[in-house]
Amino acid sequence: MPRPNPDDLLRYAETEAASEFRGKLKIFLGYSAGVGKTYAMLETVRRLKKDGVDIVIGYVEPHKRAETEALLEGQETIPRKAISYRGTTLYETDIDGILARHPKLAVVDELAHTNVPGSRHTKRYQDVEELLSAGIDVYTTLNIQHLESLNDMVAKITGVSMQETVPDTILESADEIEVVDLPIGELLKRFKEGRVYVPEQAERAMQNFFTDANLTALRELTLRRAAKRVGSRKTTIQGSPLQGQRSAAEKLIVCVTSFPSSAELVRAAKLLSLGLDADWYAVYVETAGQKTLSEIEKDRLTRTMRLAEELGGKPVTLSGKSVAEELVDFAEKNEVTKILIGKPVKRYLRDILFGSVVDRLIRASGEI
């Protein structure tokens, strides 16, 4: 057996040390508001408190629900931080207060929340990341529709595009996920009784986003995603991390351009990679004709590549005369098994005469 590389040993030791110091993240995952995520989280917290675990409430949104507010009674709470914004005082999680108190466990509700401008971090999941990095365990809640890779799918199901999303890597790196489920009929009953929103809001919600069909689809998405996460854990070969991780049988490429539709393709690649338990690349091929991108196109391309990285893909930029040739060459060198590319919206004369990028890619792709 060959001796381990000293650099690999050092990197492994550093990773292990960081992992041991880092706090643990538990996400209470649901398919809708009102299924009981916050309630389930606080019930767990009360049990842990009785067992002597050092816990503080960093942020909880009880939504004026009496049963949830009852669970907060007697809990140590870090006061929220007041932030002045456009003449109004708003309140956010006091990260510095939690860090100074440094409990074993902090409760920070509503992971997908966008913080008030002027906060240290733009998003609450970034607050949570800072707490985890400081060695503090965190309990939080999340609805499935706020997961970045599902943005397009949720929009097609519900007709609503989520403005607040979290990167899939947050869910994938969580140490524990507890799915908080509730039959659709029971949830709709809660809406009608005004236990989720006030009656006027509940009626509007049930007519638009929270319909029986939408909730059924979201519930199915939640259960499928949780099942995939359980089944896609990487396993270590021969019990040693230095032996390397199991490599996925499938590898994917998604071909990225400066077009707006590339973001949707990237999300589709993420979902496909989950189903196949595959590593994947987001590849942009720069040709002579594409070096004259406008500033808007450059910015869009940058955001798409950043999105791919946030979703767990590996951004790659190539240069060459032919998009198809560069993609196939990269695919062969990296043992890629599938290539995802957008189909042409229009058929131009040059495509009819010489073939489109998709045509040339199909001809050159061989077994891919």
Side-chain angles (χ1 to χ4, degrees):
M1 178 178 174
R3 294 179 60 187
N5 184 294
D7 291 335
D8 289 340
L9 284 170
L10 179 59
R11 278 193 294 271
Y12 172 62
E14 290 173 345
T15 301
E16 284 295 290
S19 177
E20 288 181 12
F21 177 76
R22 183 179 172 82
K24 306 296 183 184
L25 174 64
K26 179 171 181 176
I27 297 176
F28 290 79
L29 181 68
Y31 67 90
S32 167
V35 297
K37 299 180 302 299
T38 302
Y39 188 88
M41 177 173 66
L42 292 178
E43 274 196 320
T44 304
V45 164
R46 288 186 77 87
R47 289 196 298 270
L48 292 173
K49 191 81 170 179
K50 287 181 180 179
D51 292 337
V53 178
D54 182 22
I55 304 173
V56 300
I57 305 298
Y59 187 100
V60 165
E61 185 52 71
H63 296 287
K64 298 182 180 179
R65 297 168 193 158
E67 61 270 29
T68 303
E69 290 176 342
L71 290 175
L72 286 169
E73 291 178 4
Q75 298 288 345
E76 181 183 350
T77 302
I78 302 295
R80 299 179 187 183
K81 185 176 183 178
I83 299 176
S84 180
Y85 179 65
R86 293 184 176 177
T88 303
T89 300
L90 301 171
Y91 296 88
E92 293 290 2
T93 312
D94 185 359
I95 299 301
D96 289 321
I98 299 174
L99 290 171
R101 170 64 175 75
H102 210 283
K104 169 61 179 171
L105 170 64
V107 177
V108 183
D109 206 6
E110 298 189 349
L111 186 64
H113 170 78
T114 299
N115 291 331
V116 176
S119 303
R120 176 146 79 239
H121 301 299
T122 304
K123 305 286 291 187
R124 184 166 290 160
Y125 75 79
Q126 295 169 319
D127 295 338
V128 168
E129 279 291 317
E130 183 172 350
L131 295 177
L132 293 170
S133 296
I136 299 171
D137 296 345
V138 176
Y139 278 10
T140 189
T141 61
L142 179 69
N143 281 327
I144 195 68
Q145 61 263 34
H146 295 291
L147 209 56
E148 176 61 44
S149 69
L150 298 177
N151 197 276
D152 299 312
M153 187 179 296
V154 169
K156 288 175 182 176
I157 292 170
T158 66
V160 178
S161 180
M162 294 293 107
Q163 299 303 308
E164 293 186 317
T165 60
V166 301
D168 289 49
T169 48
I170 300 294
L171 188 72
E172 291 163 0
S173 63
D175 298 277
E176 187 178 353
I177 292 176
E178 181 171 325
V179 176
V180 183
D181 191 37
L182 188 72
I184 305 294
E186 180 63 29
L187 178 60
L188 291 174
K189 182 182 176 184
R190 287 188 180 185
F191 272 104
K192 290 174 182 176
E193 293 173 348
R195 295 167 61 191
V196 180
Y197 298 123
V198 295
E200 296 80 11
Q201 286 180 314
E203 188 62 34
R204 287 196 301 272
M206 290 173 66
Q207 291 175 358
N208 297 294
F209 188 88
F210 298 101
T211 65
D212 187 284
N214 286 354
L215 292 173
T216 299
L218 292 172
R219 187 185 187 203
E220 184 178 337
L221 269 181
T222 304
L223 297 175
R224 281 187 176 183
R225 191 57 183 268
K228 282 181 180 178
R229 183 183 182 275
V230 170
S232 66
R233 290 291 194 181
K234 301 289 186 183
T235 55
T236 303
I237 296 175
Q238 297 179 7
S240 170
L242 294 178
Q243 297 292 327
Q245 299 290 332
R246 173 183 59 80
S247 59
E250 299 271 10
K251 285 187 181 180
L252 312 177
I253 282 177
V254 56
C255 184
V256 172
T257 68
S258 59
F259 295 149
S261 57
S262 278
E264 187 173 350
L265 272 179
V266 163
R267 295 189 185 98
K270 171 62 180 181
L271 295 177
L272 184 59
S273 74
L274 285 171
L276 297 171
D277 190 18
D279 294 330
W280 61 287
Y281 304 88
V283 179
Y284 170 67
V285 181
E286 184 182 67
T287 61
Q290 292 173 317
K291 289 182 179 179
T292 55
L293 295 178
S294 68
E295 289 303 315
I296 293 176
E297 289 173 323
K298 288 178 182 177
D299 179 64
R300 189 186 296 135
L301 177 61
T302 299
R303 283 187 279 112
T304 301
M305 295 295 260
R306 188 183 302 126
L307 172 64
E309 190 168 20
E310 289 175 352
L311 292 177
K314 300 173 184 175
V316 176
T317 299
L318 305 173
S319 295
K321 295 180 180 180
S322 166
V323 172
E325 288 178 8
E326 292 299 325
L327 284 173
V328 170
D329 182 59
F330 180 85
E332 290 175 344
K333 289 178 180 176
N334 291 276
E335 300 179 338
V336 167
T337 56
K338 287 180 172 58
I339 298 175
L340 183 62
I341 188 169
K343 64 182 180 182
V345 178
K346 296 180 181 179
R347 193 74 169 170
Y348 296 99
L349 178 60
R350 66 174 180 273
D351 294 337
I352 296 172
L353 295 175
F354 305 107
S356 67
V357 171
V358 176
D359 295 327
R360 293 193 293 274
L361 185 59
I362 290 172
R363 287 198 300 270
S365 58
E367 297 299 317
I368 302 171

